[in-house]
Amino acid sequence: MLFRVFAKDQLINLYDILAVNHIVGPVSKGVDRHGAPLYDFDFIYDFAELQLDYTATIHSLKRFVLPPRETLCTFDLQKDSWQKHVDFNAYKPTVYFGLHACDINALNKLDKVLIGNVYPDPYYAAKRKNMFIIGVGCTPQPFCFCKSMGTDSVLHGFDLFLTDLGDSYFAEIHSARAFAFMSSLECREPRHSEHLRFVEVNQERMNRFTCHVDTTDLTKILDLEFQAEVWQEWGRKCLSCGTCANVCPTCYCYGIEENVDLGLQHATKTKHLYSCNLIDFAEVAGGHNFRPESHDRLKYRYYHKHRGFVEAFEESLCVGCGRCGQSCLANITVPEVIASVRGEGANHA
Amino acid sequence: MHKLPFVDVLAEKQNHARKQDLTSFEYTFQAEITNVYPLTTTEKLYQIQIIDPEERQRFSFQPGQFVMLELPGIGEAPFSISSSPIRHGDIELCIRAVGNMTDFLARVPRGTRVGISGPFGTSFPVEQMQGHDIMLIAGGLGIVPLRAPIFAVLENRNRFGNIDIIYGARNPSELLFTYQYDMWRQFDINLNIIVDTGDADWQGPVGRITTILEQRIAAAPNMGKNTYAIVCGPPVMFKFVCDMLLKAHLPMQQIFVSLERRMHCGRGKCCRCNIGSTYTCLEGPVFDYWSVMNMKEAI
Amino acid sequence: MTAKEHTYLGVPVKKPKVAFFEFTSCEGCQLQLLNNEATLVDFLALLNIVNFREAMSEQSDDYEIAFVEGSITRDDEAEQLKEIRARAQTLVAIGSCACFGGVNQLKNRFNDLAWVKEQVYGSHPIESREAMPLSAIVPVDLEIYGCPIKKEEVERVVTNLVLGKSIDYPKYPVCVECKANHNVCLFDLGQPCLGPITRAGCDAWCPSNRLGCWGCRGPAEKPNVRQLRQIMHEHGFSDEQMLDRLECFGGFGQYVSELKSASKE
Amino acid sequence: MKVSCNIKVNHLTRVEGHGNIRIRIKNGQVEEAGWDVVETPRFFEAILVGKLWENAPYLCGRICGICSIGHTLASIRAVENAFGIVPDRQTAGLRLLLKHMETLQSHILHLYFLAAPDFLHIGSVLPLVQTHPEVVQRATRLKLLANDACDIIGGRRVHPTRTVVGGFTMLPEKSQLALIKARLEAALPDLVKTAQLFQTFSLPDFVRETEFVSLKGRDHYPFIGGDLVSSDGVVKKEDEYLQMTNEYMVDHSTSKWSRLSRQSLAAGALARFNNNFAFLHPKAREVAASFSLQPVNHNPFMNNIAQLVECVHVVIDSIVIIEELLAAKWQEPRQPVIPKAGRGVGAVEVPRGILYHAYEFDQAGRITRADCVIPTSQNNANIHYDIIELARQSAAQQRTDAEIQRLAEMLVRAYDPCISCSVH
Ligand SMILES: Cc1cc2nc3c(=O)[nH]c(=O)nc-3n(C[C@H](O)[C@H](O)[C@H](O)COP(=O)(O)OP(=O)(O)OC[C@H]3O[C@@H](n4cnc5c(N)ncnc54)[C@H](O)[C@@H]3O)c2cc1C
Ligand code: SF4
Ligand code: SF4
Ligand code: SF4
């Protein structure tokens, strides 16, 4: 990896260099009822909109790589035959400006199942291949537990990663194209003092984590506690609204719907993101539901993320961003649920 | 100003084990329904042929695998291939009308173009079963996925030991493939059929599958290690039948089941078929009983 | 219009004869049908409309599908509905009034029709009975929810009806669609919302416009109303405010009485 | 031969709601004639009692599917007047714009879909899809524009979602407004064509003198709030509306009737035109002149033309409003609401005439009394006496049964009655 340092006022130049492309980044979405600022990822048309010192975004980046609704293909029907037209819905390369480590890690995890598996998902892959990612160091929030999930720093899956050293940015360059961009910027090799400052800044950040999840033997504990009473308690709270999965950067399950146009000559096949928390997720022919109760479904979400994925890919499908807990109206958070399953939380029966 | 180059995934050759480039993962074979045979009031047998002769020949599958059958604009659903593997892309599907896509399919005439993708999923280890006795146990629609291994076994009948088919249905009118029973018997297959409730013409036994299985096990006290079993049917049936087989000393890894889940992609993406966190479409639908025991909420 | 006979995947598609009727309602749902400007012509081409009083003078009693708007609040309406039921093969209730009683059923909450009449008409005699959904009088084949109905959904339902394809509604709540639209949760903005318990299908129409959901589409499958009540309390909303929304369209009948008795405790 | 006929139109078509026409003429003498409303009442005024203030606009919009925006705005105005909230310029501008777009969509719906078939001697607009596709396309283009604008400003074309007491829940994108402005500009030629189409129709020559009631313009053609005026010279304040409407019940109608200085009064496009002609945009006045329409006109069939004139006016005025909104910086969309005890009235000119909502609140902002007076109920008596007069004139002119029935139906349609709304 190559490192560079550039003064903060150079950032706008970096933006300008990239601005011929579509740019997505954190923008302000007003304030919540307590006056706290809200952020979300959106297209950026003006450098002033870019809020690099954002706390966390409500939704993840997922809408850009796994849109909540996506047309997979269309059909033209003739009297006795039909044609299928496939469009991967990727047209433009896009710069993602200002992703935190957790979100970059989330994409890396999605890659494993959506690109690495025997059947790659071409719709995802097409968008994924057209990303230019600029990461940025974050300030841990009270709900962040990425440190516990091992996703508090990111080793690959980005082009450039910026760390705020006060009056300058420390840039990790991870791709040739990023290197090319940096060469049109006023920047230089970091000095030794800046190496130290970089380490120091990261250490300070490490010390700020307040939220933890104990993942020791979690795969086994989830198996052992499959029948635990706490699941029922969480289930009674859960609204089965799927919000947790919708805001999660790594939840990817979906449903398919096919519709015929009013003219009866065309049809479309649409994919829409689903959630394993929704009531009919595991319903099959004849109406049998493999997970009829909300606690069955809630449990399954944890089971998939913290056990199944680990078995398949040696790592958890959760990056510890805490969004699901933040968005859950019933206050169901990963740290509390896992603690209670481990028999530690206040909620343990 | 730097314009990022657009990466056309369509063009980019991927080094995937299975296919050459990413488009192939969305490829649908155009196929024609060449014949439709009503089997009962709700099930029909569809003969479906891939139109392009080359594609038809290239399409090969193992008994137990399934395809996604698509009616454009109506829906797509997984169905076990119910015909002999040697027939390649000229397959038979036996389909029960239970919902959106299957109800529409029941109205579709001969000659209609449909889409097929696959084959997907794991298969029954027919090779491995050679030299052994085989018990094929089916309840209701469970006979459908068993028909492909039955064909495979019959084609090399002399390589297998005793073959038992135990098949239960709710009543005689729901029995599938009745026209093939004589043929199966001619191949020295011990075919046992039982119904929950008989009717005026019914000569055979009445009761549960387990009744017959019990008799079979009692008659062959040392079936144990030498026997492979394939079990297919409604979830409630699995547990009882597999328990009995275990008691009869069949090793867990010689008992196979085919599980049914909701599937929207068949490609390990939509998560709809996950059991615990195992994809039924990738690691199944055929599982050995050990794996099933190991998965939460499998049956 | 002359019908072009279609087949779809080899299945013959017949233009059904359809009729539209309205009972006690604002006629907004019928208007929504005419509001399909962009697709109106295609929509009309799918159907053979034989009766649509709001838009045409020709009338016929020979129809296969009847779309009925409005709730039943008078005996003559009940009688006419029964006639429609007898004629139509498929009876489709459109809008919350027809499906649940709609806003009209709010008058039922007083359990005092005489007082209600007196409020509006004084001593002048007027005929009216408790507002009822169609299904309280006759069997209903299909329900299209919403106040008002959503044209995209109507078009989908009608296309599916014409094709003979099954018609499914989301079983999950509005939150799913709200999140898909990347809205900020109304509770975070300090507004109450019934999204977590209301059946989706409207594409989170109101929350996407920053108005909390009032539950016009009725309950989602197995809604967790008890938990939502607690959430309302945590966010500073009273049982009364929750009740206002819950009882607004009549879809949550059972939960309204539960909440009423719970808030008395 | 003297005219004898017995006309009974049950559930008149191509109007909103359920009304019946009856005319019995024997030997040239009108024995009986009139207008009956058989719509089932919904009792909104009772429903509102005991509800918190925030329910009022939400529920009252549902009085009418066609003018739900007008009802919502009238209701909001009543609540705001009771709580002493004055909308800022941005809110007022957006509300008027929204109101205009509802007027446009409602008038176009009436002119093309409900009224025009009569003049073309067809049962509905459907045959035109084949014979005159360009007419249907023009109608849908205009209606779509108005509806899209309602979606963008009010959140939804039927039963708006963004309109709340205190302002709006959220604002449209300025780029969306700019797009609407461009479409409005492009709509003017369509309106000219509409006028040309209506020039080819022969409007029945029928006059019965009546009293016209509307809002009183001060410097603008009035739509939201202000004083009330009648063509007979009565002027009242907004909250004195009861003295303008004087509602009463008749046996043959579930909708109430109104009167002021005479036996009946008329509200609607023609009333607004007659009372506020001076405030119309010159282009709109030109259109009126091309139909020789000038105030005070007493031919109810001319209400169609007055609607057309208003379409031109609201389109031009909307362009002006959008220009102003685009030039200003967006302000907070919503003012805080602090309920208090009191009474508030909101009068709004909806497509069919002047609409009043009035509420009384207790300390906590719960409604203790509600009253809504709908344009069509103000028009009922006028429609009734017009039918009688039409029957009389027809008998004198020896018209055929079919002709009398057609004229009577057209007459009622000319009022564009919103019957379900009037029986709320
Ligand atoms: C590996 C596999 C092999 C199968 N083989 C056969 C077969 O050979 N013959 C046959 O008749 N059926 C088979 N099925 C079941 C078949 O896929 C479903 O009956 C079919 O998907 C129903 O689709 P539909 O659109 O008609 O029903 P829908 O209208 O989608 O649904 C009707 C009911 O079926 C449920 N359902 C929807 N999709 C599925 C699904 N994929 N699996 C199970 N239930 C579902 C719904 O929740 C609902 O309760 C198989 C299923 C799997 C997973
Ligand atoms: S855990 Fe929370 S966000 Fe997730 S489905 Fe349950 S209630 Fe909704
Ligand atoms: S499960 Fe929750 S904490 Fe984990 S990645 Fe998803 S949203 Fe973030
Ligand atoms: S958000 Fe709620 S109230 Fe609004 S349309 Fe949807 S279901 Fe109805």
Side-chain angles (χ1 to χ4, degrees):
Chain A
M1 195 157 344
L2 292 172
F3 304 99
R4 289 287 182 275
V5 166
F6 62 88
K8 271 200 167 165
D9 55 15
Q10 285 290 307
L11 193 67
I12 186 161
N13 295 344
L14 180 60
Y15 177 89
D16 284 343
I17 289 171
L18 292 165
V20 270
N21 304 290
H22 281 258
I23 296 190
V24 167
V27 300
S28 162
K29 290 280 163 180
V31 293
D32 73 4
R33 67 202 163 99
H34 305 298
L38 297 166
Y39 298 100
D40 214 344
F41 291 117
D42 213 334
F43 284 101
I44 291 191
Y45 301 99
D46 182 357
F47 179 70
E49 289 172 308
L50 185 65
Q51 307 281 323
L52 274 198
D53 53 356
Y54 71 107
T55 47
T57 56
I58 304 168
H59 297 90
S60 71
L61 200 66
K62 204 162 62 176
R63 78 184 255 212
F64 300 97
V65 284
L66 285 175
R69 267 175 287 247
E70 181 169 24
T71 301
L72 295 184
C73 65
T74 53
F75 296 95
D76 285 338
L77 288 114
Q78 288 88 39
K79 200 167 161 23
D80 44 17
S81 67
W82 45 262
Q83 272 79 48
K84 175 178 174 178
H85 308 283
V86 176
D87 185 343
F88 296 155
N89 309 310
Y91 312 106
K92 289 246 163 63
T94 306
V95 175
Y96 294 84
F97 206 126
L99 306 192
H100 289 165
C102 57
D103 283 339
I104 302 175
N105 276 313
L107 290 171
N108 292 343
K109 285 179 196 282
L110 280 179
D111 287 353
K112 298 213 158 159
V113 53
L114 297 181
I115 301 186
N117 139 340
V118 254
Y119 305 101
D121 176 347
Y123 302 89
Y124 173 81
K127 294 175 196 77
R128 190 75 177 96
K129 295 250 170 222
N130 284 294
M131 299 175 93
F132 182 87
I133 294 178
I134 303 176
V136 59
C138 63
T139 315
Q141 300 299 306
F143 47 81
C144 294
F145 57 96
C146 54
K147 196 173 163 193
S148 306
M149 306 313 295
T151 50
D152 50 314
S153 64
V154 58
L155 302 175
H156 66 103
F158 58 89
D159 293 273
L160 198 62
F161 199 96
L162 306 179
T163 305
D164 190 341
L165 296 186
D167 44 13
S168 59
Y169 280 112
F170 187 93
E172 300 165 53
I173 303 173
H174 209 263
S175 74
R177 6 181 228 180
F179 188 77
F181 292 153
M182 290 301 284
S183 49
S184 22
L185 212 67
E186 264 179 53
C187 59
R188 54 174 172 74
E189 300 240 359
R191 303 190 186 99
H192 184 63
S193 62
E194 281 154 350
H195 296 180
L196 296 178
R197 178 72 193 130
F198 175 68
V199 174
E200 197 184 354
V201 165
N202 280 335
Q203 192 52 51
E204 277 168 19
R205 173 172 169 263
M206 280 302 140
N207 297 338
R208 290 224 196 145
F209 282 103
T210 51
C211 180
H212 302 281
V213 169
D214 184 357
T215 57
T216 333
D217 283 336
L218 188 55
T219 52
K220 286 163 212 162
I221 287 169
L222 283 170
D223 259 0
L224 292 168
E225 297 299 328
F226 198 77
Q227 304 294 349
E229 177 64 21
V230 277
W231 290 119
Q232 310 258 353
E233 279 176 39
W234 292 114
R236 274 191 287 276
K237 287 182 156 217
C238 179
L239 298 156
S240 296
C241 69
T243 294
C244 45
N246 271 305
V247 299
C248 175
T250 58
C251 275
Y252 57 90
C253 60
Y254 66 85
I256 298 271
E257 204 184 279
E258 299 207 19
N259 282 307
V260 182
D261 287 6
L262 282 172
L264 307 185
Q265 313 269 342
H266 304 280
T268 35
K269 184 168 171 180
T270 330
K271 156 181 167 177
H272 46 105
L273 285 184
Y274 225 75
S275 160
C276 53
N277 287 79
L278 304 183
I279 187 156
D280 56 349
F281 186 80
E283 207 174 87
V284 297
H288 179 70
N289 194 335
F290 282 91
R291 294 180 212 114
E293 299 300 329
S294 77
H295 67 85
D296 296 328
R297 298 187 293 270
L298 183 104
K299 176 165 67 183
Y300 166 76
R301 183 160 180 270
Y302 283 83
Y303 212 71
H304 183 200
K305 287 194 140 13
H306 297 274
R307 180 190 178 280
F309 203 83
V310 187
E311 281 199 329
F313 299 104
E314 317 277 327
E315 56 182 80
S316 158
L317 186 58
C318 172
V319 294
C321 68
R323 284 188 180 96
C324 54
Q326 281 303 100
S327 292
C328 176
L329 284 167
N331 296 321
I332 302 175
T333 69
V334 176
E336 277 191 65
V337 170
I338 290 184
S340 71
V341 174
R342 301 187 77 99
E344 293 155 7
N347 272 292
H348 193 51
Chain B
M1 295 282 216
H2 294 260
K3 209 164 165 69
L4 289 165
F6 178 67
V7 183
D8 187 355
V9 182
L10 275 177
E12 204 188 47
K13 281 268 186 286
Q14 295 279 312
N15 232 355
H16 291 293
R18 213 178 140 267
K19 298 255 174 76
Q20 276 304 304
D21 69 279
L22 278 175
T23 19
S24 60
F25 294 103
E26 266 310 303
Y27 192 71
T28 308
F29 297 111
Q30 290 235 8
E32 185 181 317
I33 299 182
T34 50
N35 265 311
V36 185
Y37 304 102
L39 297 182
T40 70
T41 46
T42 49
E43 284 96 10
K44 287 182 176 173
L45 185 73
Y46 298 84
Q47 288 182 340
I48 298 176
Q49 195 178 57
I50 292 176
I51 289 170
D52 184 290
E54 215 173 289
E55 283 180 354
R56 191 188 316 151
Q57 198 45 41
R58 235 182 332 148
F59 183 94
S60 69
F61 68 94
Q62 302 293 318
Q65 287 194 296
F66 65 94
V67 291
M68 297 295 287
L69 177 69
E70 174 154 41
L71 294 179
I74 308 295
E76 189 175 21
F79 299 100
S80 308
I81 307 175
S82 195
S83 48
S84 164
I86 55 171
R87 283 173 56 187
H88 288 263
D90 188 359
I91 58 173
E92 288 178 357
L93 303 177
C94 173
I95 296 176
R96 172 181 288 178
V98 291
N100 171 26
M101 184 261 181
T102 47
D103 284 347
F104 197 90
L105 185 67
R107 297 159 57 210
V108 154
R110 232 168 63 175
T112 301
R113 293 265 171 116
V114 297
I116 282 185
S117 47
F120 297 113
T122 52
S123 56
F124 300 110
V126 179
E127 305 261 294
Q128 196 184 316
M129 292 176 178
Q130 292 188 4
H132 294 83
D133 293 344
I134 298 175
M135 293 193 83
L136 302 160
I137 305 167
L141 208 53
I143 192 74
V144 175
L146 287 195
R147 196 160 162 258
I150 292 175
F151 274 120
V153 166
L154 294 191
E155 271 141 22
N156 296 293
R157 178 65 187 91
N158 52 2
R159 298 193 193 160
F160 300 87
N162 291 334
I163 301 178
D164 276 88
I165 297 179
I166 303 177
Y167 172 29
R170 263 182 298 196
N171 56 57
S173 70
E174 287 187 14
L175 287 171
L176 297 170
F177 309 120
T178 43
Y179 58 95
Q180 290 197 318
Y181 299 165
D182 286 342
M183 194 261 281
W184 291 347
R185 287 196 173 105
Q186 277 165 19
F187 275 91
D188 189 22
I189 283 179
N190 184 12
L191 177 62
N192 284 288
I193 296 176
I194 188 162
V195 295
D196 287 359
T197 37
D199 61 17
D201 300 330
W202 182 247
Q203 309 279 318
V206 174
R208 308 239 157 229
I209 273 195
T210 41
T211 329
I212 301 234
L213 185 58
E214 220 161 284
Q215 291 164 7
R216 269 301 294 144
I217 291 171
N222 44 9
M223 41 197 279
K225 283 206 173 47
N226 198 29
T227 308
Y228 274 81
I230 299 181
V231 186
C232 239
V236 276
M237 187 195 103
F238 282 121
K239 205 161 163 37
F240 290 109
V241 170
C242 293
D243 276 353
M244 290 177 69
L245 292 173
L246 285 181
K247 284 216 188 83
H249 307 293
L250 261 78
M252 274 186 171
Q253 64 277 20
Q254 280 174 217
I255 306 173
F256 291 89
V257 303
S258 174
L259 298 184
E260 201 185 301
R261 283 295 185 278
R262 196 181 177 96
M263 283 179 194
H264 282 216
C265 70
R267 297 162 173 82
K269 297 290 175 305
C270 71
C271 291
R272 302 306 280 269
C273 68
N274 280 19
I275 301 172
S277 34
T278 304
Y279 283 102
T280 314
C281 64
L282 295 181
E283 291 161 55
V286 176
F287 291 97
D288 67 17
Y289 196 56
W290 162 248
S291 314
V292 172
M293 291 284 287
N294 240 339
M295 291 186 284
K296 300 291 178 195
E297 33 167 69
I299 49 178
Chain C
M1 259 166 290
T2 49
K4 202 165 81 204
E5 282 306 313
H6 276 300
T7 58
Y8 192 87
L9 291 175
V11 176
V13 176
K14 208 170 120 260
K15 259 184 154 192
K17 288 192 209 119
V18 304
F20 294 87
F21 299 96
E22 66 289 308
F23 294 109
T24 308
S25 68
C26 76
E27 300 200 6
C29 288
Q30 283 192 46
L31 187 71
Q32 278 291 79
L33 298 174
L34 294 179
N35 271 344
N36 291 12
E37 292 91 356
T39 48
L40 188 60
V41 173
D42 280 343
F43 182 77
L44 295 175
L46 259 187
L47 306 172
N48 184 2
I49 300 180
V50 299
N51 210 330
F52 192 169
R53 195 194 47 77
E54 195 175 315
M56 59 192 262
S57 291
E58 295 85 352
Q59 292 182 336
S60 157
D61 283 337
D62 177 22
Y63 45 81
E64 289 142 358
I65 306 177
F67 289 90
V68 182
E69 178 189 357
S71 55
I72 302 299
T73 66
R74 221 163 50 192
D75 294 343
D76 60 326
E77 291 188 324
E79 288 316 307
Q80 202 199 335
L81 178 63
K82 285 180 198 156
E83 276 170 35
I84 295 169
R85 173 70 274 186
R87 291 205 174 94
Q89 285 157 24
T90 310
L91 181 76
V92 188
I94 55 171
S96 298
C97 294
C99 297
F100 313 124
V103 285
N104 312 330
Q105 54 78 44
L106 277 172
K107 75 169 196 252
N108 302 356
R109 80 184 196 277
F110 298 108
N111 293 319
D112 185 356
L113 266 183
W115 178 87
V116 168
K117 290 179 187 174
E118 201 247 22
Q119 277 288 305
V120 182
Y121 289 97
S123 57
H124 189 87
I126 200 93
E127 196 192 332
S128 185
R129 63 187 217 189
E130 291 221 318
M132 282 190 228
L134 305 186
S135 58
I137 315 277
V138 296
V140 170
D141 302 305
L142 262 181
E143 296 190 327
I144 301 182
Y145 307 111
C147 180
I149 53 172
K150 184 128 191 164
K151 63 169 192 170
E152 289 82 358
E153 192 178 16
V154 180
E155 289 176 354
R156 192 169 48 85
V157 169
V158 169
T159 314
N160 289 355
L161 259 180
V162 169
L163 286 172
K165 194 180 154 185
S166 73
I167 291 153
D168 298 310
Y169 307 101
K171 293 176 178 170
Y172 48 76
V174 172
C175 285
V176 175
E177 293 170 342
C178 184
K179 287 290 160 299
N181 288 342
H182 299 98
N183 300 327
V184 179
C185 178
L186 264 300
F187 281 101
D188 282 339
L189 296 172
Q191 300 288 323
C193 181
L194 287 197
I197 56 168
T198 302
R199 185 190 294 276
C202 62
D203 198 18
W205 222 346
C206 304
S208 299
N209 285 298
R210 295 213 162 180
L211 179 77
C213 171
W214 282 65
C216 76
R217 299 172 59 86
E221 208 127 310
K222 291 212 209 158
N224 195 342
V225 180
R226 206 184 40 85
Q227 185 64 28
L228 183 65
R229 179 176 177 227
Q230 189 174 334
I231 293 166
M232 287 274 186
H233 291 178
E234 283 165 11
H235 286 76
F237 305 116
S238 62
D239 277 347
E240 182 182 5
Q241 280 174 295
M242 176 153 175
L243 195 62
D244 277 349
R245 286 164 172 75
L246 217 49
E247 72 180 1
C248 187
F249 293 101
F252 285 89
Q254 162 205 352
Y255 305 99
V256 167
S257 26
E258 277 173 27
L259 180 64
K260 275 185 177 160
S261 51
S263 60
K264 272 198 203 103
E265 279 162 20
Chain D
M1 220 195 70
K2 294 257 170 64
V3 175
S4 288
C5 67
N6 191 358
I7 296 168
K8 271 201 160 72
V9 181
N10 279 337
H11 296 186
L12 176 63
T13 58
R14 276 186 286 123
V15 293
E16 204 268 7
H18 299 86
N20 302 341
I21 299 170
R22 58 191 150 81
I23 296 175
R24 204 167 71 230
I25 302 173
K26 207 163 176 191
N27 292 327
Q29 287 298 315
V30 179
E31 290 203 325
E32 188 213 34
W35 168 239
D36 307 336
V37 171
V38 292
E39 187 76 23
T40 45
R42 287 167 292 158
F43 302 96
F44 271 89
E45 286 126 327
I47 281 170
L48 286 170
V49 174
K51 285 279 177 198
L52 286 168
W53 57 271
E54 56 189 9
N55 287 266
Y58 191 81
L59 290 177
C60 287
R62 283 159 172 83
I63 288 179
C64 180
I66 296 191
C67 48
S68 59
I69 292 173
H71 276 281
T72 309
L73 292 178
S75 179
I76 288 175
R77 187 172 166 82
V79 180
E80 288 182 351
N81 282 344
F83 295 170
I85 296 171
V86 181
D88 57 27
R89 202 174 161 79
Q90 171 182 302
T91 299
L94 281 168
R95 282 181 181 164
L96 183 57
L97 183 58
L98 182 60
K99 181 85 254 319
H100 279 350
M101 291 300 99
E102 179 184 74
T103 306
L104 181 63
Q105 96 81 19
S106 172
H107 282 357
I108 294 293
L109 175 76
H110 179 244
L111 289 171
Y112 276 96
F113 288 64
L114 309 184
D118 279 331
F119 298 106
L120 297 165
H121 300 272
I122 46 180
S124 76
V125 77
L126 295 185
L128 293 185
V129 177
Q130 300 293 314
T131 58
H132 297 77
E134 75 291 347
V135 173
V136 179
Q137 278 160 15
R138 190 192 314 132
T140 50
R141 191 160 54 234
L142 285 165
K143 216 164 93 57
L144 183 62
L145 155 66
N147 273 332
D148 283 351
C150 292
D151 283 353
I152 285 165
I153 304 155
R156 182 159 68 188
R157 52 193 65 182
V158 174
H159 304 327
T161 53
R162 294 187 182 180
T163 42
V164 286
V165 177
F168 286 84
T169 59
M170 67 190 286
L171 300 171
E173 300 280 339
K174 286 201 168 171
S175 57
Q176 292 174 312
L177 280 185
L179 226 66
I180 291 296
K181 183 181 156 231
R183 285 171 71 184
L184 283 167
E185 280 158 357
L188 283 168
D190 277 345
L191 287 176
V192 172
K193 290 234 176 66
T194 307
Q196 284 162 359
L197 174 70
F198 273 76
Q199 296 278 11
T200 65
F201 300 161
S202 63
L203 274 85
D205 184 18
F206 168 81
V207 169
R208 185 182 73 88
E209 287 224 356
T210 191
E211 180 176 18
F212 292 100
V213 174
S214 74
L215 282 174
K216 183 175 188 313
R218 266 218 307 242
D219 39 19
H220 270 88
Y221 197 76
F223 281 102
I224 300 179
D227 287 349
L228 320 171
V229 67
S230 98
S231 55
D232 284 0
V234 184
V235 177
K236 297 279 176 210
K237 293 260 164 279
E238 196 170 354
D239 58 5
E240 298 168 331
Y241 77 99
L242 285 173
Q243 296 165 34
M244 287 306 261
T245 56
N246 308 303
E247 283 192 315
Y248 61 100
M249 287 302 304
V250 293
D251 282 340
H252 51 93
S253 170
T254 50
S255 176
K256 295 176 181 174
W257 287 29
S258 282
R259 68 160 83 85
L260 184 55
S261 321
R262 315 176 180 216
Q263 171 181 53
S264 65
L265 63 85
L270 189 58
R272 286 190 291 260
F273 175 91
N274 281 335
N275 290 349
N276 294 292
F277 177 76
F279 301 116
L280 278 171
H281 193 276
K283 280 240 174 65
R285 272 188 266 169
E286 264 171 43
V287 174
S290 72
F291 287 88
S292 314
L293 173 64
Q294 55 196 18
V296 174
N297 183 297
H298 286 279
N299 178 355
F301 290 96
M302 284 312 257
N303 194 46
N304 290 312
I305 306 306
Q307 287 182 333
L308 181 57
V309 171
E310 285 194 338
C311 285
V312 177
H313 177 82
V314 297
V315 165
I316 296 173
D317 199 39
S318 297
I319 295 172
V320 176
I321 299 172
I322 294 180
E323 275 166 0
E324 190 192 325
L325 286 168
L326 289 180
K329 200 167 156 336
W330 278 142
Q331 308 293 316
E332 268 301 300
R334 194 171 184 174
Q335 296 183 40
V337 180
I338 299 155
K340 63 178 190 200
R343 172 174 183 268
V345 177
V348 166
E349 284 283 0
V350 291
R352 288 151 197 81
I354 190 163
L355 163 71
Y356 310 92
H357 279 231
Y359 312 123
E360 282 168 31
F361 294 98
D362 68 8
Q363 217 65 46
R366 274 190 202 87
I367 297 168
T368 53
R369 256 193 77 83
D371 185 30
C372 309
V373 184
I374 275 76
T376 296
S377 60
Q378 298 167 58
N379 278 329
N380 274 328
N382 218 51
I383 297 175
H384 179 79
Y385 292 113
D386 272 359
I387 291 176
I388 295 175
E389 177 62 20
L390 183 78
R392 205 188 53 71
Q393 293 184 13
S394 297
Q397 290 163 14
Q398 307 231 337
R399 292 204 172 100
T400 63
D401 295 17
E403 185 65 8
I404 297 173
Q405 172 163 347
R406 193 177 85 93
L407 276 177
E409 289 191 10
M410 280 173 72
L411 173 77
V412 177
R413 283 192 198 111
Y415 281 87
D416 190 9
C418 195
I419 303 167
S420 55
C421 171
S422 75
V423 188
H424 47 280

